[in-house]
Amino acid sequence: MAAAGAEKLYLLVACALLLLAVGCQASPLQIGFYHDRCPQAEAIVKGVMMEAISQNPGNAAAMIRMLFHDCFVEGCDASVLLDPTPFSPTPEKLSAPNNPSLRGFELIDAIKDALEAACPGVVSCADIIAFSARDASCILSGGKVDFEVPSGRRDGTFSNASEPVKFLVPPTSNLSDLVESFVVKGLDVEDLVILSGAHTIGRSHCSAFVPDRLNVSSDIDGGLAAFLRGQCPADAAPGDNDPTVMQDVVTPNDLDRQYYNNVLSHTVLFTSDAALLTSEETARMVVDNANIPGWWEDRFEKAMVKMAGIEVKTGDQGQIRKNCRAINYY
């Protein structure tokens, strides 16, 4: 009996060591992380989001994009929210990929204020971004994209404008650059194709596509090109002379699979969108997402959770900011 017990113990230890060796530890994030300390946290976030989106559907696109821009730089730690200070005069939000196109900072402030009133010092700004993007997806999809997002992220204390340009590739990128930018963050080719589907909502500044899609030869549909030339100045550049246009003119306020139909019909704005047709693998994914009901929605849910887990800070790392725009000084 003693020998059998020793053998069982040996097997348990061996299995545990094997799990550690292959990196199979449980995720540091968990569903319902705030259940005990702030049980109404997620309901508060959703309430503010529903009101904000009812006033302006663009708020949904802003939150989904903010999650992407936050998580790809320093991990999902709300570093993108930090304002400039004398000690850190050039944070991420002032970097070219974020300024002036990234929106939603005031909405995050409103959610944080509501949470601080209910549960002071409990809910991180990083989790607010993740919850907001999840709720935005659910609301604009009419409930077709509906998923739980694990929480327990903590807020970072470092933010520098030099970082986003390293990890947020521009909309002029080709497929290999896009794939590389995702792989370095632990995402794969399918994640790239699936998350690109968020371009079915939101607006874009003309300067993001005019130079490489309208001012030179490209595969963009002639009718769309003519329409866009009526909306955008030929010399569009970041600044005052840079209007915005809808990314999807068919269903601009619906998070749906229309984006993939747009890719197939060459009615997308960015070179990075059109690039999805430049390989057999990604082109096949585009066709599947366009034609199979529920296919994209199911995969978008999983890809959003995966993205929201990039390089998270948990436990004793980081802090829980009292104000999402500034780190706590103790």
Side-chain angles (χ1 to χ4, degrees):
M1 292 292 291
E7 182 179 1
K8 184 177 181 180
L9 178 61
Y10 171 81
L11 290 173
L12 288 172
V13 171
C15 288
L17 290 174
L18 179 61
L19 286 172
L20 288 172
V22 298
C24 293
Q25 297 112 316
S27 169
L29 304 179
Q30 57 184 282
I31 300 293
F33 179 82
Y34 296 106
H35 180 271
D36 294 329
R37 298 183 61 202
C38 190
Q40 67 272 49
E42 295 189 44
I44 290 173
V45 175
K46 189 166 188 176
V48 177
M49 285 299 300
M50 290 180 69
E51 175 63 23
I53 293 172
S54 71
Q55 295 177 7
N56 178 5
N59 284 319
M63 291 300 99
I64 294 172
R65 185 165 184 254
M66 185 173 287
L67 180 68
F68 170 52
H69 281 232
D70 183 43
C71 291
F72 266 58
V73 183
E74 295 296 321
C76 308
D77 69 348
S79 53
V80 74
L81 302 179
L82 290 172
D83 278 347
T85 69
F87 303 103
S88 179
T90 54
E92 289 173 30
K93 63 169 51 173
L94 297 186
S95 185
N98 296 327
N99 185 32
S101 61
L102 197 64
R103 300 170 44 251
F105 298 107
E106 293 79 10
L107 179 51
I108 294 291
D109 292 340
I111 296 171
K112 181 63 170 175
D113 288 346
L115 287 168
E116 287 296 300
C119 316
V122 173
V123 182
S124 70
C125 301
D127 278 340
I128 291 174
I129 295 176
F131 291 149
S132 299
R134 182 267 313 273
D135 294 337
S137 303
C138 182
I139 294 166
L140 276 202
S141 69
K144 293 180 180 179
V145 175
D146 189 8
F147 58 96
E148 292 188 289
V149 62
S151 49
R153 299 164 191 79
R154 289 173 66 85
D155 301 323
T157 57
F158 172 81
S159 183
N160 191 281
S162 65
E163 297 302 302
V165 295
K166 298 177 185 177
F167 300 107
L168 298 171
V169 297
T172 55
S173 300
N174 60 33
L175 185 60
S176 60
D177 288 342
L178 291 166
V179 171
E180 182 181 355
S181 72
F182 271 61
V183 169
V184 76
K185 293 300 176 181
L187 305 180
D188 58 29
V189 175
E190 185 177 37
D191 294 321
L192 164 64
V193 176
I194 293 298
L195 291 171
S196 294
H199 287 175
T200 190
I201 56 174
R203 304 180 68 89
S204 170
H205 284 272
C206 292
S207 61
F209 60 85
V210 165
D212 64 312
R213 296 285 279 166
L214 299 184
N215 289 352
V216 298
S217 177
S218 74
D219 71 344
I220 194 168
D221 173 78
L224 177 62
F227 169 76
L228 292 172
R229 288 190 179 102
Q231 304 294 312
C232 298
D235 60 349
D240 294 334
N241 191 32
D242 195 11
T244 62
V245 297
M246 290 289 186
Q247 294 200 73
D248 173 8
V249 297
V250 182
T251 58
N253 294 326
D254 295 332
L255 187 69
D256 56 19
R257 55 196 169 101
Q258 179 61 40
Y259 166 80
Y260 300 98
N261 293 310
N262 296 346
V263 173
L264 292 171
S265 62
H266 303 283
T267 53
V268 284
L269 297 183
F270 304 137
T271 295
S272 57
D273 293 325
L276 299 185
L277 294 182
T278 59
S279 86
E280 290 186 9
E281 180 186 18
T282 55
R284 185 172 60 253
M285 293 178 187
V286 169
V287 171
D288 288 341
N289 285 307
N291 294 328
I292 304 174
W295 184 273
W296 173 73
E297 289 85 353
D298 177 67
R299 283 156 180 76
F300 186 73
E301 293 171 357
K302 294 179 175 62
M304 286 286 282
V305 172
K306 192 173 177 182
M307 179 170 66
I310 294 174
E311 300 167 13
V312 295
K313 296 171 177 63
T314 59
D316 294 330
Q317 300 171 314
Q319 59 183 213
I320 306 296
R321 288 185 215 141
K322 298 174 183 177
N323 175 352
C324 289
R325 294 173 179 265
I327 65 173
N328 301 336
Y329 291 98
Y330 297 102

